[in-house]
Amino acid sequence: MMSGRKRSFHVHRKKLMHGIKITLATLIAAGFAVLFLMPIVLTISNSFMSASEISANYGTVFATTDTGGKVYIAERVNLKFIPDMVSFSQYITVLFKSPEYLLKFWNSVVLVVPIVLFQLLVASLAAYGFFRYTGKLRQIIFFSYIILMLMPYQVTLVPNYLVAEWMNTLDSYWSIWLPGIFSPFAVYLLTKFMKKIPIGVVEAAQIDGANEWMIYRKICMPLCKGAMFSAAILVFIDYWNMVEQPLIMLSDPETHPLSVFLSKINAGEVGLAFAVATIYMVPSLLLFLYGEEYLVEGIVYQSAVKG
């Protein structure tokens, strides 16, 4: 009888401790989520503030002297998440009165969309080659891809500049497109994903008379749908926020994307910066929300085929 009570007590204690651990983990995760979301919420809410209200709340942060120097912050900044009065003046200025903002937004689209599409095309073909063929040469090339992927872009910026100058593509979008299209990240991700495909599926297709192109198009691509979406989201967000590449490769400010333009907005246009930043976040947020499941699936390398 006593042993049964002890066993029941221990089971109840384990359940209680498990519930406490889950509660603590949930609270910690919620705390980090709030911290990560605060800048986004602050940007969106402040974009509906008037210029005078923004100046009153953050004037000490963005104030400058007559010579262009920064003013020492002697007052506490007032972080406001709810405007005193909702104003759409910033959005009206951005969308209708200042076409340069929309032009920079279009520059971002023209720069990023071809990189995403053609990088996925090149990466899927290269990953299929790594998946289908083995050997020392394949291992050496794939190891080189990993080394290049680990290097930050700032390390390869100078070589890319020299190559672009040799190819006479400086001051054109090709100087941004070509390094982006042949980036190794998507190749690595898709190769790891294709290795999860059972070889028996490929052999069965070969027995049925399928050639390499049919195996690539009818088997690998449908099964790699999650990885393709995952790579597309990560590549899009990476290049959508690029700053160094356009600054170095494109000397004409008219061809710069909105990400570069945002960094150059002066103190008198802080309200516009909030509005432009909110508009600039919309494509990334929509793409992430649409492909969230695919993103998680691609990261953990879970293939659609079980066996």
Side-chain angles (χ1 to χ4, degrees), residues 168-201:
N168 199 26
T169 58
L170 280 178
D171 297 328
S172 70
Y173 287 155
W174 286 105
S175 61
I176 308 293
W177 286 338
L178 290 178
I181 290 172
F182 296 99
S183 175
F185 170 74
V187 178
Y188 173 79
L189 184 63
L190 293 178
T191 301
K192 289 295 184 181
F193 198 93
M194 286 187 185
K195 286 183 177 180
K196 304 288 288 185
I197 299 176
I199 194 64
V201 177

Side-chain angles (χ1 to χ4, degrees), residues 32-64:
F32 279 109
V34 170
L35 289 176
F36 291 144
L37 289 175
M38 275 184 61
I40 298 176
V41 175
L42 188 67
T43 300
I44 295 174
S45 63
N46 285 192
S47 67
F48 293 101
M49 290 183 181
S50 62
S52 58
E53 186 176 357
I54 291 176
S55 178
N57 294 324
Y58 310 108
T60 53
V61 176
F62 300 106
T64 57

Side-chain angles (χ1 to χ4, degrees), residues 25-303:
T26 302
L27 292 175
I28 293 174
F32 279 109
V34 170
L35 289 176
F36 291 144
L37 289 175
M38 275 184 61
I40 298 176
V41 175
L42 188 67
T43 300
I44 295 174
S45 63
N46 285 192
S47 67
F48 293 101
M49 290 183 181
S50 62
S52 58
E53 186 176 357
I54 291 176
S55 178
N57 294 324
Y58 310 108
T60 53
V61 176
F62 300 106
T64 57
T65 62
D66 295 336
T67 59
K70 294 293 182 180
V71 175
Y72 176 74
I73 300 177
E75 301 177 10
R76 178 175 296 179
V77 176
N78 183 25
L79 294 178
K80 291 188 64 175
F81 289 90
I82 301 177
D84 293 334
M85 183 178 65
V86 176
S87 173
F88 294 93
S89 59
Q90 314 292 358
Y91 288 98
I92 293 174
T93 301
V94 171
L95 297 176
F96 301 105
K97 295 182 180 180
S98 300
E100 63 268 19
Y101 294 105
L102 295 180
L103 176 63
K104 301 299 182 182
F105 186 90
W106 175 248
N107 288 344
S108 298
V109 174
V110 172
L111 278 172
V112 176
V113 171
I115 291 177
V116 175
L117 295 179
F118 287 99
Q119 183 179 145
L120 291 179
L121 176 62
V122 172
S124 63
L125 293 171
Y128 179 76
F130 286 128
F131 165 64
R132 291 288 290 130
Y133 302 103
T134 58
K136 292 184 178 180
L137 182 60
R138 177 257 187 201
Q139 294 177 355
I140 293 173
I141 296 176
F142 188 71
F143 180 75
S144 301
Y145 265 83
I146 296 176
I147 295 299
L148 290 174
M149 188 185 68
L150 294 176
M151 289 184 179
Y153 187 84
Q154 291 78 3
V155 175
T156 60
L157 190 58
V158 174
N160 285 339
Y161 180 88
L162 296 177
V163 172
E165 185 178 27
W166 176 73
M167 296 178 62
N168 199 26
T169 58
L170 280 178
D171 297 328
S172 70
Y173 287 155
W174 286 105
S175 61
I176 308 293
W177 286 338
L178 290 178
I181 290 172
F182 296 99
S183 175
F185 170 74
V187 178
Y188 173 79
L189 184 63
L190 293 178
T191 301
K192 289 295 184 181
F193 198 93
M194 286 187 185
K195 286 183 177 180
K196 304 288 288 185
I197 299 176
I199 194 64
V201 177
V202 178
E203 292 176 350
Q206 289 177 321
I207 293 174
D208 291 337
N211 55 28
E212 295 295 339
W213 171 249
M214 294 177 64
I215 295 173
Y216 164 79
R217 188 167 59 91
K218 299 284 184 132
I219 296 178
C220 289
M221 286 300 95
L223 295 179
C224 291
K225 183 180 178 181
M228 293 287 285
F229 270 94
S230 177
I233 294 171
L234 296 175
V235 171
F236 179 87
I237 293 175
D238 185 24
Y239 285 93
W240 188 251
N241 298 315
M242 63 180 171
V243 175
E244 297 94 342
Q245 300 96 312
L247 282 176
I248 300 299
M249 301 294 185
L250 304 175
S251 60
D252 186 5
E254 295 297 324
T255 61
H256 286 172
L258 192 57
S259 54
V260 175
F261 194 62
L262 278 172
S263 64
K264 296 181 179 180
I265 291 181
N266 57 44
E269 299 176 322
V270 176
L272 295 179
F274 283 123
V276 175
T278 301
I279 296 174
Y280 198 60
M281 286 190 296
V282 170
S284 299
L285 290 176
L286 291 178
L287 186 62
F288 175 79
L289 293 176
Y290 175 77
E292 181 182 0
E293 294 182 1
Y294 297 112
L295 178 63
V296 175
E297 179 185 357
I299 291 177
V300 299
Y301 309 124
Q302 291 180 349
S303 176

